[in-house]
Amino acid sequence: DVPLVTLRRKDIENARDKLSRRYRGNTVRASLRPLSTALSWAVRQELIDINPARSMELPRREHSTEHLTAEEAARLLAEAEKRARDKNDPLSWSRWIAISLALRLGLRRGECFGLRWTDIDFSVGRVIVAKSYRLAPKSNKPRVLPLPSVLAPILREWRALCPETKERLVCPTRCGGQWGMSGTRSMHELPELLSAAECPALTRGFHALRHSFASAFVAQGGSLLTLREMLGHASLEMSLIYSHVAAGAMVRSQCPDLAQQVGAACGTRELVLQRHQRLGEGGQVDRVGLQGAGGGQLVQPTLLALEMLRALPLPGLGRGLLHGILLRLRQAAEEARIHRETAVQQDVARQRQVFR
């Protein structure tokens, strides 16, 4: 043990290096973040002069986009439903509902198993994500999502069968003969269901189902701004990991028949269309793809050309420069999209005032 007053940067760096030999970069970052917060508090309380963990170099953040294809997601949903109906067991039903929530709404595992029946409003078709298990969501604030029409009847059917719990959980689990909150590490037979559905194993479990929703949503033409709001990301940068899917959606926008088929299994196309309907005629802009503002018609073909160049065997420096240019262009295109959507929303608001 090291006394607080003698704690130095080197001590924390040694702990970081030991953790890095055993755990992944994201785990190390998550482990050290509370320590830095506590040391900052100690500085404010004048217990120490400086925070030795401040600005310390941390392992590189890892972004995983492991996900299922639309066909694989459809097989998983079908297998989970078949098992639930064949067994006629509330536990199998609860797992099917949790998988459906992750694939159709992009909920985190804690949000699936922390969802309450009071959070679902069938009359207006709305889901409020207010809890992750018993705590606030990762963003520390609730978010409101549209309830897909394909999910509503399943939830209504399940509500009549769902075991009662004190917290009125939508996806309760059974432990020691009692129904209640799920543990934070339980996989809920997801690996077995994936295997039975002939889907690839998912190293990130339920979180990969969330990625599956996000990838299908963007492939349908949903904007990264809307995705950020639906997933509860703290910043747009986190949603930009799906920008490669958005670039692919630009190509598919030239083939409407193909675009209509992608993501249908997860019901994400309906969410995109709901969004376009809310935005009015201006929502049609998103079906064209990423374009800049004021002469930004060049952004779309430029992005497409750069995406094709990225597939070529380039030297390390050239590939790094190309990646940087792509990232800046995607950010510029998304900023232009935000500007257009804000204008559309303002126009729709004005229209509602006129016809109220």
Side-chain angles (χ1 to χ4, degrees):
D1 295 339
V2 180
L4 178 62
V5 293
T6 62
L7 185 65
R8 296 293 179 265
R9 169 72 64 92
K10 186 176 181 180
D11 300 319
I12 303 176
E13 289 177 340
N14 289 337
R16 174 203 62 194
D17 295 341
K18 289 180 180 179
L19 288 170
S20 298
R21 287 193 285 270
R22 294 187 58 188
Y23 302 103
R24 303 177 70 144
N26 287 355
T27 303
V28 177
R29 294 175 65 94
S31 300
L32 293 177
R33 193 180 302 117
L35 173 61
S36 181
T37 302
L39 291 173
S40 294
W41 174 85
V43 171
R44 293 194 298 271
Q45 299 298 314
E46 299 182 353
L47 300 176
I48 55 178
D49 294 329
I50 61 172
N51 177 0
R54 184 177 181 181
S55 302
M56 184 181 69
E57 184 176 355
L58 294 174
R60 186 174 180 178
R61 188 186 302 275
E62 301 172 356
H63 294 294
S64 171
T65 55
E66 176 188 42
H67 66 279
L68 299 176
T69 66
E71 293 78 12
E72 291 166 346
R75 292 202 301 270
L76 175 60
L77 287 168
E79 179 62 31
E81 179 179 8
K82 180 178 181 301
R83 187 167 298 194
R85 295 192 183 281
D86 289 351
K87 288 188 174 182
N88 197 26
D89 171 27
L91 189 57
S92 298
W93 265 84
S94 182
R95 289 165 177 162
W96 171 34
I97 297 300
I99 290 172
S100 298
L101 291 170
L103 279 175
R104 298 187 188 279
L105 286 175
L107 302 193
R108 300 178 177 94
R109 177 170 60 180
E111 293 169 347
C112 291
F113 292 96
L115 190 68
R116 275 72 167 168
W117 286 113
T118 52
D119 298 328
I120 302 175
D121 190 335
F122 290 101
S123 61
V124 297
R126 182 178 64 190
V127 176
I128 301 176
V129 184
K131 294 287 185 180
S132 177
Y133 297 113
R134 291 188 174 91
L135 304 176
K138 196 172 181 179
S139 59
N140 288 321
K141 58 182 181 181
R143 62 187 190 275
V144 180
L145 303 176
L147 177 61
S149 59
V150 69
L151 189 57
I154 299 173
L155 287 171
R156 288 181 185 275
E157 184 180 2
W158 168 232
R159 185 168 61 172
L161 304 171
C162 181
E164 286 290 334
T165 60
K166 182 173 62 176
E167 296 169 288
R168 300 195 64 190
L169 299 173
V170 175
C171 299
T173 59
R174 188 168 51 207
C175 182
Q178 299 292 322
W179 289 94
M181 181 74 69
S182 164
T184 59
R185 295 189 177 275
S186 175
M187 292 300 293
H188 301 282
E189 289 192 356
L190 180 58
E192 292 82 357
L193 287 167
L194 287 167
S195 178
E198 298 182 353
C199 295
L202 299 174
T203 58
R204 303 208 62 190
F206 268 84
H207 206 73
L209 302 185
R210 174 175 160 91
H211 285 315
S212 302
F213 163 83
S215 298
F217 181 83
V218 174
Q220 279 298 312
S223 78
L224 296 178
L225 174 63
T226 300
L227 182 67
R228 171 195 172 183
E229 296 171 352
M230 296 191 72
L231 295 184
H233 283 162
S235 67
L236 183 59
E237 181 184 0
M238 299 177 68
S239 303
L240 282 174
I241 63 174
Y242 302 102
S243 56
H244 66 287
V245 183
M250 288 191 296
V251 180
R252 286 187 291 275
S253 68
Q254 309 303 319
C255 305
D257 291 340
L258 176 61
Q260 289 175 5
Q261 299 173 18
V262 179
C266 294
T268 53
R269 176 171 175 75
E270 178 193 3
L271 294 179
V272 176
L273 293 177
Q274 285 179 8
R275 176 178 165 276
H276 287 321
Q277 290 166 2
R278 288 199 304 272
L279 293 181
E281 293 299 320
Q284 298 291 332
V285 172
D286 288 328
R287 293 194 178 101
V288 178
L290 297 176
Q291 298 179 2
Q297 298 290 337
L298 292 175
V299 174
Q300 179 177 358
T302 302
L303 270 172
L304 290 173
L306 289 174
E307 288 289 353
M308 289 186 287
L309 280 174
R310 194 169 62 167
L312 299 177
L314 298 175
L317 179 60
R319 183 170 293 279
L321 288 173
L322 181 60
H323 177 75
I325 294 171
L326 270 170
L327 181 59
R328 292 297 297 274
L329 271 173
R330 288 167 179 161
Q331 290 175 334
E334 189 61 26
E335 288 170 1
R337 187 201 294 272
I338 293 171
H339 177 76
R340 288 195 308 275
E341 290 183 347
T342 301
V344 169
Q345 289 171 339
Q346 290 172 347
D347 289 341
V348 172
R350 293 190 191 99
Q351 183 182 19
R352 288 174 178 169
Q353 291 292 335
V354 170
F355 293 104
R356 176 170 292 181

